[in-house]
Amino acid sequence: MKVVMFFIPGGEIPKHLTLSLLAVALLASFGSSMLYGYNLAVVNSPADYIKDFYNRTVVGRNGTSLDEEALTLMYSLTVSVFAVGGLVGSLMVGILVTRFGRKGTLVNSTVLVFIAGALMGFSRTCASLEMVIIGRFITGIHSGISLSVVPMYLGEIAPKNLRGFLGLIPSIFICIGVFTAQILGLHELLGKEEHWPLFLSLVIGPTFVQLLLLPWFPESPRYLLIEKRNVHATITALKWYRAKCNIQSEIEEMQEEQRSLSSVDTVSVLELLMDRSVRWQVISIIVVNMGMQLSGIDAIWFYTNAIFENAGIPTPQIQYTTVGTGAIEVIAGLIGGFTIERLGRRPLMIGGFSFMGICCAGITLSLILQAHVPFMRYISVGCVIGIIAGFCIGPAGVPFLMTAELFKQSHRPAAYTVAGSLNWVSNFTVGFVFPFLQMSAGAFCYLVFCGICAAVAAYVYFIIPETKNKTFVEISQLFASKESMINGHLKLKKMNGYGTLENANTKGEDGVKTGEK
C-alpha cells in the first residue's frame, strides 16, 4: 500500500505536548477513568444509609426486617458486583475496539453510565434495592471497558516521547476520582442520609461532558491506517494531534509495523496465548497486572479506617484523615506522570513495588510491636500512606501503559482483554480471601503481600526491558532478541547434557540429519 508523501515544515515528531493531544487525554480520562476511582470509593461513606434503605425496603415488601448477617451480605453484594461487572466489561474490550475503534468504544459505552446513573438515582423513589445493585453492576461493565480502552487509545495517538506521560494520565484521574468521592462523602456535603442516591448517580456528569466533546476528536491514527487502511483519515488525525512534524515519518513507522504483522486481522485471546512469538510479552502483562492487585493495595484501602482507629485517631476525624490519604494518592500519581519520561517505566515499577513491599513488612512489624511500643501505631499509619504513595507513583498506571507498548496492533486488543480480566479477577480474589487470611495469619498476612511485591519487582528488573522513547516495532524486537537469547541458552544446556540426543535430531546445512551422516 503506497502512501502519498506528506510533510509539515519542522521535520521532527514534536517534543512538546499539543493542546489537542492534551485535551483528548484529559477528556477521555475525565469521562471514563475517573469514574472507576469514584465508584471504588463512593459506597464507603453512605454504607449505613444504604443498609438502612435495604432493610426498610424489605420490611415494606415482606413485613419483616433483615437480620444483621443478611444485611451485610446484601451490602457486600452491592460492593462486589462492581468487580463482577468490571470482569464482564474487560472481556468485551477486544470485540468492541475492533468493531467501533478506540474512540468509538469510549463514546458508545457512555450509554451504560446514563442507564446506571438513572437506576441508582431513582432507586429510593422506586423503593427498589435491585436498582442499586444492577446500577453498580452496569457501572462495573463501563469501568471494565474504559480501564483498558483509555490507555490503549492514548498510547496509540501519542508520539513515542510522550507515550509514558499520556499513558499515566488515566491513573492520575483514577486517584482524582477516589479523592472526589472521599470529599463529596463528607457529612458536610453529600454524606447525609437524604443525599446518597444523588451521590451514587453523579457519575452522569463527567460522562455527559465526554459525550458532548469527545466525538469531535479523531480516531486513533494507528487504528485508521493499520486496521481500516484509510490513509486520508490517518493523515487528518495526525495533523490534528501534531503541531509541527514530519507526518510521513510517522506513517512509515506505522507501515513498518503493518509489514511486520503476519496478518492485519486482530487475533483472538486464544491465538494470543498460543503465539510463541509474544510469549514473554504475555507473561509480562500477566505478572504486572496480577501483581498490581495482589500487592495488597485493595486490602490496605479496605482497612485504612481500622488502622487509623488503632492509631488513636478520634473517630470523627478519621473521615478527614482518609481524605488526606486521597490527596496523597493524587500527588503521587502526578509525580509518576511528570517523571516517567525522564526516569522510564522500569524505575517507577521497580521502585514502586519495592517500596510497597518494605511498607508491608513495616505494617507487620508495627502491628506486632504496637501493644508494647505505643509509637508503633504511628509507624503503621506511615506505612499505610507509604503503600498508597508507592502504588500510585508507578504500579497503579504503568501496567496499563505496558500492555499497550509490548504488543503490536493486531495483538493489542486481545492483550488488553487478558490483562483486564486478570486485573478484575485478582481484585475480587484479594477482597474475598483477605479477611480469611487475616484471621489465620494475623499481622503476618501482610508479609504475603511483601513477597508478591518483591517478586514482581524482581521480574521487572530481570525480564522487562525499558520501553521509553521506543516504537512498537523496536519493543517487539527487544523481546524477540530476549527470546532468542533464552532459547539459545537452553539449547546450549541441552547439548552439554545430552549431546548425542541433540545431534540425532539436528539437521546439518545440507538438510541431512547429522546423526545419519
Side-chain angles (χ1 to χ4, degrees):
M1 180 175 61
K2 294 185 178 179
V3 177
V4 178
M5 298 293 186
F6 194 100
F7 292 91
I8 286 182
E12 294 181 353
I13 296 175
K15 294 184 178 180
H16 300 290
L17 201 59
T18 62
L19 182 60
S20 57
L21 198 56
L22 179 61
V24 75
L26 295 177
L27 187 60
S29 301
F30 175 70
S32 295
S33 301
M34 191 175 78
L35 303 189
Y36 168 69
Y38 185 86
N39 283 305
L40 281 178
V42 71
V43 291
N44 293 334
S45 174
D48 293 334
Y49 304 137
I50 294 174
K51 290 179 182 178
D52 182 60
F53 165 69
Y54 285 179
N55 193 44
R56 286 188 284 107
T57 300
V58 173
V59 170
R61 293 177 181 178
N62 305 327
T64 57
S65 62
L66 293 170
D67 57 35
E68 189 64 29
E69 183 177 344
L71 201 57
T72 302
L73 179 62
M74 291 294 294
Y75 179 73
S76 298
L77 176 62
T78 305
V79 175
S80 60
V81 77
F82 177 72
V84 177
L87 175 60
V88 173
S90 65
L91 292 173
M92 299 166 59
V93 167
I95 298 173
L96 293 175
V97 297
T98 301
R99 180 175 180 180
F100 299 110
R102 283 57 168 157
K103 184 201 73 174
T105 298
L106 292 178
V107 172
N108 291 328
S109 64
T110 56
V111 67
L112 296 172
V113 180
F114 292 113
I115 294 173
L119 287 171
M120 294 185 293
F122 291 104
S123 58
R124 185 171 59 183
T125 304
C126 299
S128 173
L129 59 87
E130 293 85 0
M131 290 173 67
V132 179
I133 296 173
I134 295 172
R136 286 281 296 172
F137 176 73
I138 295 175
T139 58
I141 295 176
H142 177 265
S143 292
I145 294 170
S146 62
L147 207 60
S148 294
V149 178
V150 174
M152 187 190 308
Y153 181 38
L154 299 184
E156 291 185 6
I157 67 174
K160 62 182 181 181
N161 59 298
L162 291 174
R163 202 165 57 228
F165 170 70
L166 291 179
L168 285 194
I169 287 181
S171 66
I172 294 172
F173 270 86
I174 291 173
C175 297
I176 292 174
V178 172
F179 185 49
T180 302
Q182 290 170 340
I183 291 179
L184 293 178
L186 294 174
H187 186 72
E188 294 82 354
L189 297 175
L190 297 181
K192 299 178 182 178
E193 195 276 335
E194 63 268 23
H195 294 323
W196 70 262
L198 173 63
F199 190 23
L200 295 182
S201 63
L202 279 182
V203 290
I204 290 176
T207 304
F208 181 70
V209 175
Q210 185 189 76
L211 183 60
L212 284 179
L213 301 178
L214 190 59
W216 298 97
F217 289 86
E219 181 56 83
S220 159
R222 290 183 176 275
Y223 172 78
L224 293 172
L225 181 64
I226 299 177
E227 296 187 37
K228 292 300 183 180
R229 298 177 178 267
N230 191 332
V231 179
H232 177 73
T234 303
I235 293 174
T236 302
L238 285 174
K239 289 172 64 178
W240 185 284
Y241 290 129
R242 308 287 185 265
K244 293 181 179 181
C245 70
N246 184 344
I247 289 181
Q248 182 197 358
S249 65
E250 286 209 50
I251 292 179
E252 288 176 350
E253 185 264 313
M254 295 180 200
Q255 287 183 303
E256 181 186 357
E257 179 179 348
Q258 187 180 41
R259 287 191 295 268
S260 69
L261 301 175
S262 58
S263 171
V264 295
D265 294 333
T266 302
V267 303
S268 66
V269 171
L270 181 60
E271 290 171 333
L272 174 73
L273 298 177
M274 298 295 291
D275 190 346
R276 294 180 61 86
S277 67
V278 294
R279 176 175 57 179
W280 283 104
Q281 289 97 312
V282 172
I283 294 174
S284 296
I285 65 165
I286 290 174
V287 170
V288 298
N289 279 278
M290 291 187 67
M292 176 172 62
Q293 295 296 341
L294 298 180
S295 64
I297 185 64
D298 292 314
I300 292 297
W301 273 330
F302 187 77
Y303 284 93
T304 295
N305 288 357
I307 294 175
F308 287 162
E309 187 176 344
N310 291 335
I313 298 174
T315 302
Q317 303 300 319
I318 287 179
Q319 62 173 341
Y320 303 106
T321 307
T322 303
V323 170
T325 63
I328 291 172
E329 290 177 40
V330 176
I331 294 171
L334 289 170
I335 292 173
F338 285 106
T339 58
I340 188 169
E341 294 299 355
R342 181 180 295 273
L343 298 177
R345 285 67 162 150
R346 280 165 44 85
L348 292 184
M349 287 286 284
I350 296 170
F353 275 112
S354 298
F355 191 63
M356 290 177 72
I358 293 172
C359 290
C360 284
I363 286 183
T364 298
L365 183 64
S366 63
L367 290 177
I368 293 173
L369 297 179
Q370 70 180 13
H372 309 286
V373 184
F375 181 76
M376 282 294 171
R377 295 178 176 180
Y378 303 101
I379 297 296
S380 64
V381 172
C383 288
V384 168
I385 294 173
I387 290 173
I388 293 174
F391 178 75
C392 292
I393 204 169
V398 177
F400 296 109
L401 171 63
M402 280 188 171
T403 306
E405 291 187 326
L406 300 190
F407 294 90
K408 297 178 184 178
Q409 194 78 12
S410 59
H411 291 65
R412 196 170 295 128
Y416 267 105
T417 299
V418 172
S421 301
L422 290 173
N423 198 296
W424 287 100
V425 169
S426 301
N427 184 313
F428 182 81
T429 301
V430 170
F432 183 78
V433 172
F434 181 73
F436 301 99
L437 181 64
Q438 190 181 45
M439 284 189 294
S440 60
F444 293 98
C445 67
Y446 293 99
L447 292 181
V448 176
F449 302 130
C450 174
I452 291 173
C453 290
V456 176
Y459 181 89
V460 175
Y461 180 82
F462 289 107
I463 300 298
I464 300 180
E466 181 57 65
T467 57
K468 181 180 70 173
N469 285 334
K470 290 181 173 61
T471 66
F472 295 119
V473 173
E474 290 171 342
I475 294 169
S476 295
Q477 291 171 348
L478 284 175
F479 274 95
S481 62
K482 182 179 292 293
E483 177 80 12
S484 299
M485 180 182 67
I486 293 174
N487 286 343
H489 179 66
L490 292 175
K491 183 176 180 180
L492 180 62
K493 289 180 65 177
K494 184 176 180 182
M495 288 183 68
N496 287 338
Y498 306 97
T500 305
L501 181 62
E502 179 70 25
N503 289 339
N505 294 280
T506 304
K507 292 185 178 181
E509 293 180 1
D510 56 357
V512 180
K513 288 184 179 180
T514 55
E516 297 174 354
K517 288 183 179 180

